[in-house]
Each structure stands twice: as C-alpha cells, then as structure tokens.
Amino acid sequence: MENRYSAFIFDMDGTLVDNMSFHFDAWIEYLTELGARPDPHTFMELTAGKINPEIFHMFLGADM
C-alpha cells in the first residue's frame, strides 16, 4: 500500500513557537470582561496544567 502523506501537521504551541504570552493576555482580558479580576502575577502559577472549564470555575465560580 502506498503512503499518501509526505508530511504531518501537529500542534506547534510551545514546541516551535513560544506564544504563551498571547494566551496569557487573552485569558486576562477575557476574564476581566466577564467580571473576574485575575492577578496577572499569579495567573500562570494557578492555571498551569488546568483545562479551560477548571480555569473558568476557578475565577468565575461557574462551569462553562
């Protein structure tokens, strides 16, 4: 059987491109718009390894 693919695309966030600052800024802005007041200095520490619903619950007290 012949291989139809000569390349694969994969998730490059944090692998080839350090774009964490954009994610951080977007989270802070969005949570602020929703009425939360996240502390930018500890946001990364509190949310590292968390999935989006956990982060929303942590800052908004709601499941989204």
Side-chain angles (χ1 to χ4, degrees), residues 28-37:
I28 297 297
E29 182 177 340
Y30 188 58
L31 288 171
T32 300
E33 287 176 9
L34 293 175
R37 299 287 181 254

Side-chain angles (χ1 to χ4, degrees), residues 38-56:
D39 175 15
H41 298 290
T42 58
F43 180 81
M44 290 287 284
E45 183 177 311
L46 293 174
T47 61
K50 302 271 189 287
I51 59 175
N52 292 350
E54 293 174 317
I55 296 170
F56 282 119

Side-chain angles (χ1 to χ4, degrees), residues 1-56:
M1 180 174 191
E2 184 178 322
N3 188 351
R4 301 181 334 174
Y5 305 102
S6 60
F8 294 93
I9 297 175
F10 60 94
D11 184 358
M12 295 184 288
D13 290 348
T15 303
L16 298 177
V17 178
D18 182 9
N19 60 356
M20 197 59 210
S21 64
F22 296 106
H23 289 282
F24 174 80
D25 292 343
W27 267 110
I28 297 297
E29 182 177 340
Y30 188 58
L31 288 171
T32 300
E33 287 176 9
L34 293 175
R37 299 287 181 254
D39 175 15
H41 298 290
T42 58
F43 180 81
M44 290 287 284
E45 183 177 311
L46 293 174
T47 61
K50 302 271 189 287
I51 59 175
N52 292 350
E54 293 174 317
I55 296 170
F56 282 119

